Amino acid sequence: ATAESIFFMQNDELETEGQEQGEELDKLERQEITLESKENIEKQNRRNLKIMKLTTNLVMVAIATVVISTNVDRIVVILVAQVFNGCLLPIFSICLLICINDEQFMESAPQRGWSNVFL
């Protein structure tokens, strides 16, 4: 805007222009807040992931420490672990099969029906 256009504008035109600039500022501030909130969410997600990993590791070490410190027969521990793995394997394989056949989840490369037979 030139000085001449500002001085010779009607009051209504000045108010309209001021409102437009205010709306643009509000829009930019909202975008900035949105970007900041996305960054904060990403940081929080990374922090939560790190906490989950550390907690999982701590639980695994704690269980191993308890088992070793109680002097349990190691062969029994291995057999119990194999039984648990044998019970959990069908559950996880069915979940994997469901995920592979989900069209929304695997939209780029869906599983064909005859391929399920080989799995």
Side-chain angles (χ1 to χ4, degrees):
T2 62
E4 184 176 301
S5 64
I6 292 173
F7 288 118
F8 293 109
M9 279 186 177
Q10 299 288 333
N11 285 337
D12 295 337
E13 291 176 0
L14 283 174
E15 289 175 4
T16 306
E17 187 176 296
Q19 288 174 351
E20 289 174 358
Q21 289 176 351
E23 290 172 1
E24 288 179 25
L25 276 174
D26 289 341
K27 187 176 179 181
L28 290 173
E29 287 174 357
R30 281 188 297 236
Q31 287 176 349
E32 185 177 328
I33 290 171
T34 304
L35 290 175
E36 289 175 359
S37 64
K38 285 182 182 178
E39 290 173 0
N40 288 338
I41 290 171
E42 288 177 11
K43 286 180 184 178
Q44 186 66 30
N45 286 342
R46 277 188 252 124
R47 184 174 180 267
N48 289 343
L49 183 62
K50 187 175 182 178
I51 289 172
M52 286 173 48
K53 286 181 180 180
L54 290 174
T55 304
T56 303
N57 288 340
L58 182 65
V59 168
M60 288 172 42
V61 168
I63 291 172
T65 303
V66 168
V67 169
I68 290 172
S69 65
T70 57
N71 238 357
V72 177
D73 187 22
R74 287 183 174 83
I75 294 176
V76 173
V77 172
I78 292 171
L79 290 175
V80 169
Q82 285 181 337
V83 168
F84 277 115
N85 287 334
C87 293
L88 293 175
L89 181 64
I91 296 169
F92 286 122
S93 62
I94 289 171
C95 291
L96 181 63
L97 195 61
I98 290 171
C99 289
I100 288 175
N101 289 313
D102 187 17
E103 292 177 4
Q104 183 180 6
F105 185 68
M106 295 290 290
E107 62 186 31
S108 61
Q111 180 81 358
R112 298 208 182 348
W114 56 268
S115 298
N116 292 331
V117 174
F118 296 113
L119 291 177

mmCIF file of all heavy atoms in Angstrom, residues 68-98:
data_model
loop_
_atom_site.group_PDB
_atom_site.id
_atom_site.type_symbol
_atom_site.label_atom_id
_atom_site.label_comp_id
_atom_site.label_asym_id
_atom_site.label_seq_id
_atom_site.Cartn_x
_atom_site.Cartn_y
_atom_site.Cartn_z
ATOM 1 N N ILE A 68 17.172 -66.897 37.818
ATOM 2 C CA ILE A 68 18.543 -67.349 38.071
ATOM 3 C C ILE A 68 18.846 -67.374 39.569
ATOM 4 O O ILE A 68 19.499 -68.303 40.076
ATOM 5 C CB ILE A 68 19.550 -66.447 37.321
ATOM 6 C CG1 ILE A 68 19.437 -66.701 35.825
ATOM 7 C CG2 ILE A 68 20.970 -66.704 37.792
ATOM 8 C CD1 ILE A 68 20.237 -65.743 34.974
ATOM 9 N N SER A 69 18.363 -66.385 40.298
ATOM 10 C CA SER A 69 18.679 -66.310 41.727
ATOM 11 C C SER A 69 17.958 -67.378 42.552
ATOM 12 O O SER A 69 18.408 -67.712 43.651
ATOM 13 C CB SER A 69 18.339 -64.922 42.281
ATOM 14 O OG SER A 69 16.953 -64.704 42.217
ATOM 15 N N THR A 70 16.857 -67.938 42.048
ATOM 16 C CA THR A 70 16.146 -68.986 42.790
ATOM 17 C C THR A 70 16.702 -70.373 42.513
ATOM 18 O O THR A 70 16.202 -71.352 43.035
ATOM 19 C CB THR A 70 14.650 -68.962 42.458
ATOM 20 O OG1 THR A 70 14.479 -69.109 41.049
ATOM 21 C CG2 THR A 70 13.994 -67.688 42.937
ATOM 22 N N ASN A 71 17.714 -70.449 41.689
ATOM 23 C CA ASN A 71 18.385 -71.714 41.389
ATOM 24 C C ASN A 71 17.449 -72.761 40.789
ATOM 25 O O ASN A 71 17.510 -73.941 41.130
ATOM 26 C CB ASN A 71 19.045 -72.273 42.659
ATOM 27 C CG ASN A 71 20.526 -72.472 42.472
ATOM 28 O OD1 ASN A 71 21.041 -72.253 41.386
ATOM 29 N ND2 ASN A 71 21.189 -72.885 43.536
ATOM 30 N N VAL A 72 16.578 -72.342 39.909
ATOM 31 C CA VAL A 72 15.661 -73.257 39.228
ATOM 32 C C VAL A 72 16.447 -74.026 38.172
ATOM 33 O O VAL A 72 17.394 -73.509 37.570
ATOM 34 C CB VAL A 72 14.507 -72.460 38.574
ATOM 35 C CG1 VAL A 72 13.565 -73.359 37.804
ATOM 36 C CG2 VAL A 72 13.757 -71.675 39.614
ATOM 37 N N ASP A 73 16.042 -75.268 37.965
ATOM 38 C CA ASP A 73 16.684 -76.090 36.937
ATOM 39 C C ASP A 73 16.506 -75.428 35.573
ATOM 40 O O ASP A 73 15.396 -75.124 35.151
ATOM 41 C CB ASP A 73 16.070 -77.493 36.943
ATOM 42 C CG ASP A 73 16.804 -78.447 36.032
ATOM 43 O OD1 ASP A 73 17.993 -78.195 35.727
ATOM 44 O OD2 ASP A 73 16.178 -79.449 35.613
ATOM 45 N N ARG A 74 17.606 -75.239 34.883
ATOM 46 C CA ARG A 74 17.561 -74.505 33.613
ATOM 47 C C ARG A 74 16.794 -75.254 32.536
ATOM 48 O O ARG A 74 16.155 -74.648 31.674
ATOM 49 C CB ARG A 74 18.984 -74.195 33.167
ATOM 50 C CG ARG A 74 19.608 -73.115 34.017
ATOM 51 C CD ARG A 74 21.004 -72.752 33.544
ATOM 52 N NE ARG A 74 21.533 -71.628 34.290
ATOM 53 C CZ ARG A 74 22.117 -71.711 35.468
ATOM 54 N NH1 ARG A 74 22.222 -72.876 36.058
ATOM 55 N NH2 ARG A 74 22.584 -70.640 36.082
ATOM 56 N N ILE A 75 16.823 -76.541 32.561
ATOM 57 C CA ILE A 75 16.090 -77.330 31.559
ATOM 58 C C ILE A 75 14.596 -77.136 31.740
ATOM 59 O O ILE A 75 13.850 -77.003 30.758
ATOM 60 C CB ILE A 75 16.482 -78.819 31.660
ATOM 61 C CG1 ILE A 75 17.962 -78.970 31.265
ATOM 62 C CG2 ILE A 75 15.591 -79.670 30.772
ATOM 63 C CD1 ILE A 75 18.491 -80.356 31.404
ATOM 64 N N VAL A 76 14.126 -77.052 32.964
ATOM 65 C CA VAL A 76 12.705 -76.800 33.229
ATOM 66 C C VAL A 76 12.313 -75.422 32.717
ATOM 67 O O VAL A 76 11.244 -75.244 32.119
ATOM 68 C CB VAL A 76 12.402 -76.945 34.743
ATOM 69 C CG1 VAL A 76 10.985 -76.515 35.050
ATOM 70 C CG2 VAL A 76 12.656 -78.365 35.213
ATOM 71 N N VAL A 77 13.177 -74.439 32.929
ATOM 72 C CA VAL A 77 12.893 -73.078 32.444
ATOM 73 C C VAL A 77 12.778 -73.076 30.924
ATOM 74 O O VAL A 77 11.865 -72.460 30.348
ATOM 75 C CB VAL A 77 13.993 -72.097 32.921
ATOM 76 C CG1 VAL A 77 13.829 -70.734 32.274
ATOM 77 C CG2 VAL A 77 13.995 -71.978 34.424
ATOM 78 N N ILE A 78 13.677 -73.775 30.247
ATOM 79 C CA ILE A 78 13.637 -73.841 28.783
ATOM 80 C C ILE A 78 12.366 -74.529 28.314
ATOM 81 O O ILE A 78 11.705 -74.083 27.366
ATOM 82 C CB ILE A 78 14.901 -74.557 28.247
ATOM 83 C CG1 ILE A 78 16.130 -73.683 28.503
ATOM 84 C CG2 ILE A 78 14.762 -74.866 26.766
ATOM 85 C CD1 ILE A 78 17.445 -74.383 28.223
ATOM 86 N N LEU A 79 11.980 -75.620 28.959
ATOM 87 C CA LEU A 79 10.756 -76.331 28.568
ATOM 88 C C LEU A 79 9.507 -75.475 28.782
ATOM 89 O O LEU A 79 8.602 -75.452 27.939
ATOM 90 C CB LEU A 79 10.646 -77.645 29.334
ATOM 91 C CG LEU A 79 11.668 -78.733 28.944
ATOM 92 C CD1 LEU A 79 11.526 -79.931 29.869
ATOM 93 C CD2 LEU A 79 11.476 -79.142 27.501
ATOM 94 N N VAL A 80 9.455 -74.754 29.894
ATOM 95 C CA VAL A 80 8.304 -73.871 30.148
ATOM 96 C C VAL A 80 8.248 -72.758 29.097
ATOM 97 O O VAL A 80 7.170 -72.421 28.580
ATOM 98 C CB VAL A 80 8.371 -73.290 31.579
ATOM 99 C CG1 VAL A 80 7.350 -72.186 31.770
ATOM 100 C CG2 VAL A 80 8.167 -74.388 32.602
ATOM 101 N N ALA A 81 9.399 -72.202 28.749
ATOM 102 C CA ALA A 81 9.439 -71.153 27.721
ATOM 103 C C ALA A 81 8.965 -71.696 26.380
ATOM 104 O O ALA A 81 8.231 -71.013 25.646
ATOM 105 C CB ALA A 81 10.851 -70.595 27.599
ATOM 106 N N GLN A 82 9.339 -72.924 26.039
ATOM 107 C CA GLN A 82 8.894 -73.520 24.779
ATOM 108 C C GLN A 82 7.387 -73.761 24.782
ATOM 109 O O GLN A 82 6.728 -73.587 23.763
ATOM 110 C CB GLN A 82 9.650 -74.820 24.518
ATOM 111 C CG GLN A 82 11.068 -74.600 24.078
ATOM 112 C CD GLN A 82 11.798 -75.900 23.809
ATOM 113 O OE1 GLN A 82 11.422 -76.955 24.322
ATOM 114 N NE2 GLN A 82 12.840 -75.820 22.996
ATOM 115 N N VAL A 83 6.834 -74.159 25.909
ATOM 116 C CA VAL A 83 5.389 -74.355 25.996
ATOM 117 C C VAL A 83 4.663 -73.026 25.780
ATOM 118 O O VAL A 83 3.687 -72.952 25.032
ATOM 119 C CB VAL A 83 5.001 -74.989 27.352
ATOM 120 C CG1 VAL A 83 3.506 -74.924 27.578
ATOM 121 C CG2 VAL A 83 5.498 -76.423 27.434
ATOM 122 N N PHE A 84 5.144 -71.958 26.449
ATOM 123 C CA PHE A 84 4.517 -70.649 26.253
ATOM 124 C C PHE A 84 4.623 -70.200 24.794
ATOM 125 O O PHE A 84 3.659 -69.685 24.218
ATOM 126 C CB PHE A 84 5.149 -69.592 27.167
ATOM 127 C CG PHE A 84 4.583 -69.599 28.549
ATOM 128 C CD1 PHE A 84 5.379 -69.940 29.628
ATOM 129 C CD2 PHE A 84 3.257 -69.270 28.774
ATOM 130 C CE1 PHE A 84 4.866 -69.947 30.913
ATOM 131 C CE2 PHE A 84 2.726 -69.276 30.055
ATOM 132 C CZ PHE A 84 3.538 -69.618 31.126
ATOM 133 N N ASN A 85 5.795 -70.385 24.202
ATOM 134 C CA ASN A 85 5.968 -70.003 22.797
ATOM 135 C C ASN A 85 5.053 -70.821 21.888
ATOM 136 O O ASN A 85 4.480 -70.290 20.925
ATOM 137 C CB ASN A 85 7.424 -70.173 22.372
ATOM 138 C CG ASN A 85 8.305 -69.113 22.965
ATOM 139 O OD1 ASN A 85 7.847 -68.018 23.286
ATOM 140 N ND2 ASN A 85 9.583 -69.427 23.118
ATOM 141 N N GLY A 86 4.912 -72.105 22.171
ATOM 142 C CA GLY A 86 4.031 -72.953 21.365
ATOM 143 C C GLY A 86 2.571 -72.536 21.477
ATOM 144 O O GLY A 86 1.806 -72.643 20.528
ATOM 145 N N CYS A 87 2.165 -72.042 22.658
ATOM 146 C CA CYS A 87 0.788 -71.574 22.833
ATOM 147 C C CYS A 87 0.556 -70.222 22.166
ATOM 148 O O CYS A 87 -0.533 -69.949 21.652
ATOM 149 C CB CYS A 87 0.447 -71.472 24.317
ATOM 150 S SG CYS A 87 0.385 -73.078 25.137
ATOM 151 N N LEU A 88 1.553 -69.367 22.186
ATOM 152 C CA LEU A 88 1.399 -68.031 21.620
ATOM 153 C C LEU A 88 1.584 -67.976 20.108
ATOM 154 O O LEU A 88 1.062 -67.078 19.449
ATOM 155 C CB LEU A 88 2.390 -67.065 22.283
ATOM 156 C CG LEU A 88 2.141 -66.768 23.757
ATOM 157 C CD1 LEU A 88 3.265 -65.911 24.310
ATOM 158 C CD2 LEU A 88 0.807 -66.071 23.930
ATOM 159 N N LEU A 89 2.305 -68.932 19.555
ATOM 160 C CA LEU A 89 2.583 -68.915 18.121
ATOM 161 C C LEU A 89 1.322 -68.914 17.260
ATOM 162 O O LEU A 89 1.220 -68.101 16.328
ATOM 163 C CB LEU A 89 3.507 -70.079 17.747
ATOM 164 C CG LEU A 89 3.907 -70.160 16.278
ATOM 165 C CD1 LEU A 89 4.722 -68.934 15.893
ATOM 166 C CD2 LEU A 89 4.679 -71.427 16.017
ATOM 167 N N PRO A 90 0.330 -69.762 17.510
ATOM 168 C CA PRO A 90 -0.879 -69.704 16.675
ATOM 169 C C PRO A 90 -1.622 -68.373 16.785
ATOM 170 O O PRO A 90 -2.146 -67.873 15.789
ATOM 171 C CB PRO A 90 -1.753 -70.842 17.213
ATOM 172 C CG PRO A 90 -0.841 -71.732 17.949
ATOM 173 C CD PRO A 90 0.283 -70.880 18.437
ATOM 174 N N ILE A 91 -1.634 -67.798 17.960
ATOM 175 C CA ILE A 91 -2.318 -66.508 18.135
ATOM 176 C C ILE A 91 -1.642 -65.434 17.296
ATOM 177 O O ILE A 91 -2.300 -64.690 16.552
ATOM 178 C CB ILE A 91 -2.338 -66.114 19.628
ATOM 179 C CG1 ILE A 91 -3.165 -67.124 20.415
ATOM 180 C CG2 ILE A 91 -2.875 -64.698 19.810
ATOM 181 C CD1 ILE A 91 -3.046 -66.980 21.908
ATOM 182 N N PHE A 92 -0.316 -65.350 17.378
ATOM 183 C CA PHE A 92 0.396 -64.340 16.608
ATOM 184 C C PHE A 92 0.331 -64.610 15.112
ATOM 185 O O PHE A 92 0.254 -63.675 14.311
ATOM 186 C CB PHE A 92 1.858 -64.247 17.061
ATOM 187 C CG PHE A 92 2.014 -63.564 18.381
ATOM 188 C CD1 PHE A 92 2.631 -64.216 19.436
ATOM 189 C CD2 PHE A 92 1.555 -62.279 18.584
ATOM 190 C CE1 PHE A 92 2.775 -63.587 20.660
ATOM 191 C CE2 PHE A 92 1.689 -61.639 19.806
ATOM 192 C CZ PHE A 92 2.308 -62.303 20.843
ATOM 193 N N SER A 93 0.359 -65.871 14.706
ATOM 194 C CA SER A 93 0.284 -66.159 13.274
ATOM 195 C C SER A 93 -1.093 -65.813 12.702
ATOM 196 O O SER A 93 -1.197 -65.328 11.573
ATOM 197 C CB SER A 93 0.634 -67.625 12.993
ATOM 198 O OG SER A 93 -0.295 -68.475 13.635
ATOM 199 N N ILE A 94 -2.167 -66.033 13.479
ATOM 200 C CA ILE A 94 -3.511 -65.640 13.026
ATOM 201 C C ILE A 94 -3.604 -64.120 12.920
ATOM 202 O O ILE A 94 -4.154 -63.587 11.937
ATOM 203 C CB ILE A 94 -4.592 -66.208 13.966
ATOM 204 C CG1 ILE A 94 -4.687 -67.724 13.778
ATOM 205 C CG2 ILE A 94 -5.948 -65.556 13.702
ATOM 206 C CD1 ILE A 94 -5.557 -68.413 14.798
ATOM 207 N N CYS A 95 -3.056 -63.385 13.891
ATOM 208 C CA CYS A 95 -3.055 -61.922 13.823
ATOM 209 C C CYS A 95 -2.280 -61.435 12.598
ATOM 210 O O CYS A 95 -2.711 -60.507 11.906
ATOM 211 C CB CYS A 95 -2.451 -61.331 15.082
ATOM 212 S SG CYS A 95 -3.463 -61.564 16.548
ATOM 213 N N LEU A 96 -1.154 -62.062 12.313
ATOM 214 C CA LEU A 96 -0.363 -61.701 11.143
ATOM 215 C C LEU A 96 -1.129 -61.985 9.855
ATOM 216 O O LEU A 96 -1.134 -61.172 8.924
ATOM 217 C CB LEU A 96 0.967 -62.452 11.149
ATOM 218 C CG LEU A 96 1.912 -62.169 9.994
ATOM 219 C CD1 LEU A 96 2.340 -60.709 10.022
ATOM 220 C CD2 LEU A 96 3.118 -63.071 10.071
ATOM 221 N N LEU A 97 -1.815 -63.119 9.800
ATOM 222 C CA LEU A 97 -2.609 -63.463 8.623
ATOM 223 C C LEU A 97 -3.744 -62.464 8.407
ATOM 224 O O LEU A 97 -4.023 -62.064 7.276
ATOM 225 C CB LEU A 97 -3.166 -64.879 8.787
ATOM 226 C CG LEU A 97 -3.718 -65.561 7.552
ATOM 227 C CD1 LEU A 97 -2.629 -65.712 6.502
ATOM 228 C CD2 LEU A 97 -4.291 -66.904 7.913
ATOM 229 N N ILE A 98 -4.375 -62.029 9.487
ATOM 230 C CA ILE A 98 -5.441 -61.027 9.387
ATOM 231 C C ILE A 98 -4.873 -59.709 8.864
ATOM 232 O O ILE A 98 -5.469 -59.056 8.003
ATOM 233 C CB ILE A 98 -6.138 -60.841 10.750
ATOM 234 C CG1 ILE A 98 -6.953 -62.090 11.081
ATOM 235 C CG2 ILE A 98 -7.032 -59.603 10.742
ATOM 236 C CD1 ILE A 98 -7.491 -62.101 12.500
#
